[in-house]
Amino acid sequence: MAKIIVITSGKGGVGKTTTSASIATGLAKSGHKTVVIDFDVGLRNLDLIMNCERRVVYDFVNVINEEANLNQALIKDKHVEDLFILPASQTRDKDALTQEGVERVLNELKERFEFIICDSPAGIEHGAQMSLYYADEAIIVTNPEVSSVRDSDRILGILQSKSRRAEMGLEPVKEHLLLTRYNPARAETGEMLCVEDVKDILAIKLLGVIPESTTVLSASNQGVPVILNDESDAGAAYRDAVDRLLGNEREHRFLEVEKKGFFKRMFRG
Amino acid sequence: MSLLDYFKTKKTNTASIAKERLQIIVAHERTKRDQPDYLPQLQQEILDVIRKYVPIDQDQVQVQLDKNGNCSVLELNVTLPD
């Protein structure tokens, strides 16, 4: 049975697209047929993050309007097997995503994939609501910062009242917290909300903590999801998160300041 | 940086302030979350009707909707001036 997972946050710029790219890549790398859909109509960027921007011919809205079929619109990822990308349209018509159209496309994708990752746009408007409506699970991407935490709580409220599962009285959408851009040193000195603080406030299960890392920007510069970088802490944290999503136990890492040895301090700064 | 500066820049724990503020606003917004969208307008219209007869302020009318199982209770609390 295919699983639909929405990557959402309410607030913009917290790492939804970065997370969508890495989680989708990680799931496919673990051998699961995965498709990742960009719901950000008008401001598509997943294609750029996944380095397929020059291969976009047809998009999600073309498929909804039956101007193209799925085979024509799906882009096969070049980094991993079993991964496909469905890019957003650049149209400015934000009502292009009709509920019936989205449902039809998702049903068709369910036949072919194990995981359907929906990259939500920021905000709580139509596009964001469409991206979460059919979700079975939700990954709430949150930064350890007041506005992001508040918006995450708002999105949780919407998941609990406006999703299909909520409206039909089915088992609720499974919620996962993914804390990104985490800086253990600043959390330790009380400059930044710590993992426990955010967990206390949002009261949902922690899927992972992605440490703030320069490798995240260099990954998007190159269009290679950071999860594929074996030397990056952020990449390792995403790999752990994917494992947890697949039901495996993984201890949380990178929550505390790395104790630097004498030599590391002298030579690596 | 002088030694004196080092002691002066001792950082206050702003994360705990953030947590406290968040807990309050999130709790407040959660109570509003389950209310129907028409409640603020209902409150305004009730206020307007009462104002036709008695001069009262916005905060003297409290409208609250409580749910007990399959029964909803609309609680209306109006404080009239002496």
Side-chain angles (χ1 to χ4, degrees):
Chain A
M1 184 63 195
K3 225 180 235 178
I4 302 177
I5 304 177
V6 61
I7 315 284
T8 185
S9 70
K11 192 174 183 300
V14 295
K16 281 183 299 296
T17 302
T18 302
T19 298
S20 300
S22 275
I23 296 279
T25 301
L27 287 168
K29 224 182 156 208
S30 307
H32 300 279
K33 286 206 80 170
T34 303
V35 59
V36 53
I37 311 174
D38 190 347
F39 272 80
D40 204 346
V41 169
L43 293 168
R44 86 165 160 234
N45 273 317
L46 183 70
D47 54 335
L48 205 51
I49 298 299
M50 300 193 70
N51 199 13
C52 62
E53 69 275 14
R54 294 197 299 172
R55 291 194 286 145
V56 177
V57 182
Y58 293 109
D59 56 54
F60 193 14
V61 172
N62 290 139
V63 180
I64 285 175
N65 295 341
E66 295 179 337
E67 294 150 1
N69 62 40
L70 263 178
N71 287 329
Q72 291 173 294
L74 286 174
I75 303 172
K76 192 177 181 330
D77 186 66
K78 279 191 174 164
H79 305 291
V80 286
E81 280 288 308
D82 296 329
L83 179 59
F84 287 83
I85 298 132
L86 185 54
S89 155
Q90 285 289 48
T91 170
R92 280 189 294 168
D93 177 13
K94 62 183 165 72
D95 294 324
L97 296 178
T98 59
Q99 183 148 323
E100 304 72 45
V102 171
E103 182 171 15
R104 205 193 70 237
V105 175
L106 287 176
N107 282 339
E108 210 173 316
L109 289 170
K110 272 182 172 175
E111 306 280 311
R112 301 170 49 174
F113 294 95
E114 288 171 70
F115 287 99
I116 300 167
I117 307 296
C118 302
D119 181 18
S120 168
I124 50 173
E125 297 291 311
H126 182 71
Q129 298 212 6
M130 279 299 104
S131 73
L132 66 78
Y133 188 75
Y134 294 99
D136 300 307
E137 299 191 19
I139 296 178
I140 318 294
V141 183
T142 308
N143 287 170
E145 180 268 326
V146 284
S147 50
S148 175
V149 177
R150 182 199 206 175
D151 290 358
S152 293
D153 193 69
R154 193 77 205 281
I155 279 288
L156 287 169
I158 293 172
L159 279 165
Q160 289 156 14
S161 62
K162 302 252 167 76
S163 62
R164 190 185 71 100
R165 283 177 171 271
E167 283 182 359
M168 300 189 70
L170 302 171
E171 197 184 318
V173 178
K174 200 171 167 191
E175 300 151 345
H176 306 274
L177 170 64
L178 188 78
L179 199 58
T180 56
R181 306 196 71 165
Y182 191 66
N183 186 327
R186 299 187 74 190
E188 196 167 276
T189 55
E191 284 175 76
M192 183 185 264
L193 289 163
C194 71
V195 182
E196 290 305 316
D197 290 342
V198 182
K199 267 174 72 184
D200 279 356
I201 295 161
L202 295 178
I204 57 172
K205 202 161 180 292
L206 183 67
L207 178 73
V209 178
I210 312 300
E212 170 122 78
S213 166
T214 54
T215 55
V216 174
L217 181 60
S218 64
S220 63
N221 284 343
Q222 299 169 83
V224 182
V226 71
I227 197 167
L228 294 174
N229 183 342
D230 289 330
E231 267 132 56
S232 159
D233 283 0
Y238 271 120
R239 284 193 291 280
D240 287 355
V242 168
D243 286 343
R244 288 187 203 107
L245 205 55
L246 291 169
N248 303 306
E249 290 282 330
R250 291 284 178 276
E251 207 170 316
H252 288 282
R253 296 191 273 172
F254 318 113
L255 304 188
E256 263 140 52
V257 187
E258 196 188 333
K259 300 280 184 290
K260 284 181 180 167
F262 175 74
F263 282 102
K264 212 171 175 186
R265 236 183 310 174
M266 294 303 284
F267 298 110
R268 290 247 202 103
Chain B
M1 195 164 80
S2 76
L3 197 64
L4 193 68
D5 284 339
Y6 178 78
F7 287 109
K8 265 202 277 186
T9 57
K10 188 176 178 298
K11 287 175 185 111
T12 49
N13 188 332
T14 55
S16 59
I17 301 171
K19 186 181 183 185
E20 214 179 294
R21 291 176 58 216
L22 273 169
Q23 277 172 327
I24 293 165
I25 189 67
V26 161
H28 178 72
E29 286 174 346
R30 278 179 192 160
T31 57
K32 283 195 168 171
R33 190 185 282 171
D34 305 324
Q35 295 181 345
D37 297 336
Y38 61 73
L39 219 58
Q41 205 190 338
L42 178 74
Q43 178 163 358
Q44 187 57 49
E45 284 179 24
I46 290 171
L47 186 76
D48 292 341
V49 170
I50 297 171
R51 266 191 189 152
K52 281 193 339 206
Y53 306 95
V54 195
I56 56 167
D57 288 332
Q58 184 88 39
D59 55 356
Q60 286 173 293
V61 175
Q62 302 289 336
V63 179
Q64 209 181 328
L65 195 67
D66 290 319
K67 261 192 193 148
N68 289 319
N70 55 3
C71 165
S72 297
V73 178
L74 182 72
E75 197 180 299
L76 188 64
N77 206 332
V78 186
T79 316
L80 293 178
D82 296 329

